[in-house]
């Protein structure tokens, strides 16, 4: 089936381009009528980041639900509407959850267009031209890295398709081997680095790609190629160097209070390196999928209480039409974080119900509390407008710890920086023997714990902190896959011959050069 491809030119409704990414198309145009002045390049660059934002829910789906965070029985009774295929790892070609490769090729085609025109233009000053190229090459590498980890072999589409009527799903081309896809990702990262040069500025704000985002991606990519694709120590060293460059040049740092990283009134703070922006009258979180999948219905919310028996406020963490389809495992609230870890109550909210017969206050399950939305003036319900972090400084530290662990080096500095922030400096200092790496080894807490293990294995220590730190940020499935099959088996229900995603039947029919993912 043919699809109409529109070159989306997005403009910003606010004065500052760093504050919003309006996705309303202002025109549908052909390539020949565009690329006439700097303003058009600027608008197109904004549109590229808007297109990535449209894929935010897909980024989450690829990176988290197949791991051990959720179950398929929401305590409020909502139907899971297909998300159980990811949670239970029952994906197949007829029920792949994601179709058309997550619609990423539309964005790839636009990135190809930006690269081609930015490489050759004389309409931009050199600093602006190369910055746009740094962004476009970095974003293309980022998108292909998701495709690589999801499907393995994928089509490499590196030249833009002209015209307004193109079939982006059927480019009549076989998939390239994963090794070639990885080589292209690394080539794009190098091109992005070269284009940015020494410019580590967040020129258009942190909701736009930057040199620091490229270096974060480089660290992540080389960890994967080293661990999963045979690159070994050389790749780990490259990853380590890239992440150390972020430490030295990004200007990013840990905030002292975990909750403030995600606060609506503290967007693009010093911990954020790259995020997807959401704003009033512009775009809702995950294109409203957050509310439709993660937020309790307001009527239900009002019948539950906290641990004291106080009924919950209906305007807090609820929506008139909200649903819980991703039910967090009830025991995760008690088994993931140790007492004193502030991340627990800033990530999850425990929900209780008073037994009408006994009067007992009974724990039900937790709900997401990391992204709390905002009750805007004049509104009766919350708006889900929190920015969604892709890379933040905590990720830099824990990826650096991963590179060091793979190299057999000490990871105490990075792990303890994360833990000190989580517990607070005073509490952490007073409980060094219990909490400081590698002393987090309470046998009682970790005995039979299905989510995390002690510090005895440094890879387990890293996985533990990453899960505590990045819940709902689309990391856990990728994390356990990176570490190796023993961790996939331990922390998911996935079969080792089905770690990749199936290609939907429609895509296979449209592009007959494609072959189904092995295992399906």
């Amino acid at each position: 089936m043919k699809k109409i491809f529109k070159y989306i030119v997005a403009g910003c409704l606010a004065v500052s381009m760093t504050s919003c990414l309006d996705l309303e198309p202002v025109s549908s145009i052909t390539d020949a009528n565009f690329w006439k002045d700097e303003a058009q390049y600027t608008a197109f660059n904004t549109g590229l980041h808007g297109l990535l934002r449209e894929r935010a829910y897909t980024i989450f789906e690829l990176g988290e639900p197949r791991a051990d965070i959720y179950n398929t029985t929401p305590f409020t009774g909502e139907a899971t509407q297909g998300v159980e295929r990811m949670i239970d790892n029952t994906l197949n070609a007829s029920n792949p959850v994601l179709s058309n490769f997550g619609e990423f090729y539309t964005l790839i085609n636009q990135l190809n267009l930006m690269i081609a025109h930015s490489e050759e233009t004389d309409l931009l000053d050199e600093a602006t031209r190369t910055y746009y190229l740094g962004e476009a090459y970095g974003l293309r590498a980022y998108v292909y890295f998701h495709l690589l980890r999801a499907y393995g072999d994928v089509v490499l589409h590196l030249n833009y398709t002209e015209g307004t009527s193109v079939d982006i799903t059927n480019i009549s081309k076989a998939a390239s081997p994963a090794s070639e896809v990885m080589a292209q990702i690394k080539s794009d990262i190098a091109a992005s680095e070269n284009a940015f040069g020494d410019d580590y500025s967040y020129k258009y704000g942190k909701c736009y790609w930057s040199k620091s985002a490229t270096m974060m991606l480089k660290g992540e990519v080389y960890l994967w190629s080293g661990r999963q694709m045979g690159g070994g120590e050389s790749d780990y060293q490259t990853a380590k160097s890239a992440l150390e460059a972020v430490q030295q040049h990004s200007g990013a740092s840990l905030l002292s209070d975990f909750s403030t990283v995600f606060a609506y009134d503290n967007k693009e703070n010093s911990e954020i390196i790259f995020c997807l922006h959401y704003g009033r009258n512009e775009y809702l979180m995950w294109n409203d999928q957050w509310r439709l999948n993660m937020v309790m219905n307001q009527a239900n919310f009002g019948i539950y209480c906290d641990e004291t028996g106080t009924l919950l406020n209906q305007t807090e963490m609820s929506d008139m039409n909200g649903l819980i389809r991703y039910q967090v495992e009830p025991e995760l609230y008690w088994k993931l974080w140790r007492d004193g870890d502030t991340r627990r109550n800033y990530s999850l909210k425990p929900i209780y119900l008073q037994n009408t017969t006994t009067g007992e206050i009974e724990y039900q399950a937790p709900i997401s509390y990391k992204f709390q939305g905002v009750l805007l003036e004049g509104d009766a319900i919350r708006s889900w407008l929190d920015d969604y972090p892709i890379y933040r400084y905590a990720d830099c530290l824990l990826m650096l710890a991963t590179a060091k662990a793979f190299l057999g080096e000490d990871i105490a500095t990075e792990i303890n920086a994360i833990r000190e922030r989580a517990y607070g400096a005073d509490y952490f200092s007073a409980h060094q023997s219990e909490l400081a790496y590698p002393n987090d080894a309470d046998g009682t807490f970790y005995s039979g714990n299905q989510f995390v293990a002690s510090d005895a294995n440094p890879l387990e220590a890293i996985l533990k902190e990453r899960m505590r730190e990045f819940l709902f940020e689309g990391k856990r499935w990728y994390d356990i896959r990176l570490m190796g099959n023993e961790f996939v088996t331990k922390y998911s229900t996935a079969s080792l011959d089905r770690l990749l995603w199936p290609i939907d039947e429609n895509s296979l029919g449209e592009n007959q050069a494609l072959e189904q993912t092995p295992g399906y």
Side-chain angles (χ1 to χ4, degrees), residues 59-61 63-71 258-259 261-262 271 285-286 290 294 317 326-337 341-350 363 365-372 386-390 392 394-395 398 418 421 451-452 462-480 491:
I59 290 169
F60 164 79
E61 289 178 300
E64 184 163 306
R66 295 184 66 183
D68 52 347
I69 295 170
Y70 307 100
N71 68 40
F258 180 76
S259 70
V261 176
F262 315 98
E271 186 159 335
M285 192 171 180
W286 291 358
W290 182 265
M294 307 291 284
M317 301 305 298
Y326 291 96
Q327 176 58 61
V328 177
E329 287 279 4
E331 282 301 299
L332 186 140
Y333 181 78
W334 307 109
K335 293 287 191 178
L336 179 55
W337 296 274
D341 192 329
T342 62
R343 291 172 295 187
R344 174 164 58 190
N345 287 336
Y346 288 134
S347 298
L348 294 175
K349 185 177 186 68
Y363 172 71
I367 61 171
S368 168
Y369 202 54
K370 177 176 280 185
F371 303 111
Q372 299 183 15
D386 309 89
D387 284 357
Y388 192 62
I390 300 298
R392 54 189 178 91
D395 203 2
L398 291 174
I418 295 294
R421 191 267 292 276
F451 301 107
V452 288
I462 293 166
L463 282 176
K464 175 171 52 183
E465 294 311 321
R466 289 188 65 84
M467 190 177 187
R468 291 169 171 171
E469 189 76 22
F470 300 120
L471 197 63
F472 309 121
E473 295 181 54
K475 308 280 189 182
R476 177 66 169 177
W477 173 245
Y478 288 146
D479 287 345
I480 61 176
Y491 294 123

Side-chain angles (χ1 to χ4, degrees), residues 502-520:
I503 301 173
D504 63 286
E505 294 172 341
N506 188 58
S507 292
L508 289 171
E510 288 185 340
N511 183 356
Q512 296 185 15
L514 290 175
E515 295 181 4
Q516 182 57 273
T517 307
Y520 297 95

Side-chain angles (χ1 to χ4, degrees), residues 383-447:
S383 297
W384 306 100
L385 298 175
D386 309 89
D387 284 357
Y388 192 62
I390 300 298
Y391 290 127
R392 54 189 178 91
Y393 191 67
D395 203 2
C396 176
L397 290 177
L398 291 174
M399 281 201 287
L400 181 56
T402 306
K404 289 184 173 183
F406 289 165
L407 290 165
E409 299 176 8
D410 181 41
I411 63 173
T413 298
E414 291 75 28
I415 296 292
N416 286 334
I418 295 294
R419 290 183 183 174
E420 183 173 357
R421 191 267 292 276
Y423 290 95
D426 292 342
Y427 188 95
F428 183 76
S429 178
H431 296 81
Q432 283 275 321
S433 62
E434 303 167 41
L435 303 176
Y437 179 84
N439 299 314
D440 186 18
D442 184 336
T444 302
F445 184 78
Y446 294 110
S447 177

